[in-house]
Amino acid sequence: MKIVITGGAGFIGSNLALCLQEKHEILVIDKMRGQSYLDNGNLECLGHFKNLLNYKGRLFIGDINDKETFKKISDFKPNIIFHQAAISDTTAYNQNQVLSTNLNSFEEFIKLSIKLNAKLIYASSASVYGNLPSPQQVGKENPKNPYAFSKLMMDNMAKKYYKKAHIVGLRYFNVYGNGEYFKGKTASMILQLGLQLLKGDNPKLFKGSDKIFRDFVYIKDVVSANLKALEAECGVYNVGSGKARSFQDVLDILQKELNTNLTCEYIKNPYINAYQFHTQAQLDKSFAYESEFSLEEGIKDYLDEIKRIYEEELKNA
Ligand SMILES: NC(=O)c1ccc[n+]([C@@H]2O[C@H](COP(=O)([O-])OP(=O)(O)OC[C@H]3O[C@@H](n4cnc5c(N)ncnc54)[C@H](O)[C@@H]3O)[C@@H](O)[C@H]2O)c1
């Protein structure tokens, strides 16, 4: 198969590229990190070459807003497009920038998929649910920021084309695992707490973290979900573990695995008025995806990489 992966130098895209490269011909598209910043001071693009150090396929540095990028994809003639590229920062508030990047380009991807008869699997997001009560289910959304709104608009747009192409949207919940380090501040709390413990710092959590729940999903499950989506009916599906676990659970598991007993500092939550306190995916039985990793198993599997990041990236930074 010929497969295009947009955002392939980012966290989820690079995992897809590394997993699929042995058996398929891959073209990764990514704008890569540069000197452009979002209105919140974070980098606009988080793609990093180190995520692709073991990648042997093709790489094209391009913007999904540019015609040249679509020409490159069209010439490659993929059978499948995994579309991960996006402004992935939920705290970016420049509506024009977030929506034009995430949404406008998406219709071009749909049209190209129809033209090439390629399957299109794209990243939506659990952020579309805002603070709706758990379990969150497709069909009830309440986006609270431009990023979440852009993903909901993508889902709505995709629906109009289900009869013309194989299009599947995946609403990832809180993904963690190898390849997320270069997301910096937007990397998962699993990595951030793990690194705090390895440094010997007192870990920091918001007050009441034993009552703040997230559906954490391990990257290997997310890659499996993308592969299942190739055989699924057109639609939008939740991709989580189906379980809600607290941030306190995350810290307790990490302390146990790293054999530490550092005192946690509980700090004031500055986002308290616009905060998700409980997320949990309602998994759709018609989508043959099942999460294989519990939080304990995912963290155990990830631990060597967290230690490697601490030794090789953080100590030398
Ligand atoms: N990681 C999560 O927990 C999570 C949760 C829900 C949804 N998602 C979605 O999954 C997808 C992948 O997320 P991720 O965590 O790997 O994020 P990421 O930021 O690591 O990856 C996104 C990639 O897209 C690239 N990119 C950004 N703008 C681009 C542009 N204009 N042209 C070309 N490339 C561009 C970036 O350089 C980056 O490599 C995104 O669409 C994100 O919104 C992620």
Side-chain angles (χ1 to χ4, degrees):
M1 291 281 194
K2 292 179 116 185
I3 301 177
V4 162
I5 302 170
T6 73
F11 169 31
I12 297 169
S14 61
N15 276 281
L16 279 167
L18 296 174
C19 165
L20 293 167
Q21 66 176 349
E22 295 306 330
K23 293 198 177 139
H24 306 279
E25 198 181 334
I26 315 279
L27 169 63
V28 159
I29 304 283
D30 205 294
K31 190 169 165 185
M32 310 298 285
R33 63 183 56 207
Q35 300 288 336
S36 303
Y37 293 86
L38 299 166
D39 55 340
N40 58 11
N42 293 344
L43 273 171
E44 179 202 2
C45 286
L46 299 170
H48 199 292
F49 77 91
K50 284 195 180 175
N51 283 335
L52 293 175
L53 284 178
N54 295 318
Y55 172 63
K56 298 175 188 73
R58 298 187 208 187
L59 171 65
F60 179 74
I61 310 309
D63 192 318
I64 53 168
N65 298 303
D66 289 350
K67 283 205 170 74
E68 194 196 354
T69 304
F70 285 95
K71 167 96 174 58
K72 191 80 191 169
I73 298 174
S74 186
D75 291 348
F76 181 69
K77 297 193 175 60
N79 311 96
I80 299 165
I81 300 174
F82 288 108
H83 178 42
Q84 306 298 314
I87 292 181
S88 64
D89 191 326
T90 53
T91 64
Y93 268 85
N94 182 332
Q95 303 194 16
N96 177 284
Q97 187 181 24
V98 174
L99 281 153
S100 56
T101 297
N102 294 2
L103 182 63
N104 288 5
S105 61
F106 185 54
E107 189 150 32
E108 299 306 314
F109 277 104
I110 294 176
K111 287 180 180 160
L112 189 61
S113 304
I114 295 170
K115 186 181 119 192
L116 299 171
N117 195 22
K119 292 187 178 185
L120 176 62
I121 314 300
Y122 70 93
S124 179
S125 165
S127 63
V128 298
Y129 298 117
N131 52 10
L132 289 175
S134 287
Q136 287 81 26
Q137 48 190 290
V138 176
K140 286 186 190 165
E141 292 84 10
N142 187 19
K144 293 283 187 196
N145 54 55
Y147 165 82
F149 180 70
S150 75
K151 294 290 184 180
L152 181 60
M153 289 295 106
M154 286 170 71
D155 294 340
N156 291 345
M157 184 189 289
K159 276 183 202 149
K160 301 188 194 314
Y161 292 92
Y162 286 168
K163 287 201 175 111
K164 295 189 173 164
H166 180 100
I167 311 177
V168 175
L170 300 177
R171 287 186 179 164
Y172 307 142
F173 279 65
N174 283 62
V175 191
Y176 66 98
N178 286 25
E180 64 167 318
Y181 174 64
F182 295 105
K183 293 188 69 167
K185 283 189 231 164
T186 63
S188 76
M189 281 304 289
I190 290 151
L191 178 61
Q192 302 200 33
L193 288 168
L195 294 176
Q196 287 171 21
L197 295 176
L198 287 169
K199 265 200 260 174
D201 289 348
N202 288 340
K204 289 188 184 58
L205 284 178
F206 290 147
K207 281 181 189 151
S209 278
D210 56 335
K211 294 188 185 61
I212 307 177
F213 295 90
R214 289 283 178 280
D215 187 326
F216 296 102
V217 57
Y218 192 45
I219 184 66
K220 289 185 181 172
D221 281 334
V222 170
V223 169
S224 307
N226 274 274
L227 301 182
K228 296 275 187 216
L230 294 170
E231 307 311 325
E233 294 278 311
C234 287
V236 178
Y237 301 99
N238 282 340
V239 175
S241 65
K243 307 255 168 8
R245 302 294 301 270
S246 72
F247 285 108
Q248 187 66 50
D249 284 340
V250 172
L251 179 59
D252 294 346
I253 298 167
L254 282 163
Q255 295 248 48
K256 182 167 167 252
E257 289 301 326
L258 292 169
N259 218 1
T260 55
N261 192 16
L262 290 152
T263 307
C264 182
E265 280 176 32
Y266 293 96
I267 56 175
K268 199 172 166 220
N269 181 350
Y271 311 108
I272 200 138
N273 293 327
Y275 201 65
Q276 289 180 298
F277 282 90
H278 199 291
T279 69
Q280 183 178 4
Q282 170 124 330
L283 300 177
D284 183 337
K285 291 196 182 77
S286 73
F287 180 42
Y289 149 82
E290 251 178 67
S291 161
E292 282 185 18
F293 289 83
S294 67
L295 183 60
E296 282 79 359
E297 288 162 340
I299 288 179
K300 246 186 208 167
D301 199 63
Y302 187 18
L303 218 54
D304 281 349
E305 172 64 6
I306 299 179
K307 289 180 188 165
R308 188 202 64 78
I309 291 168
Y310 174 65
E311 291 298 329
E312 292 180 23
E313 299 290 347
L314 212 67
K315 271 188 173 175
N316 303 325

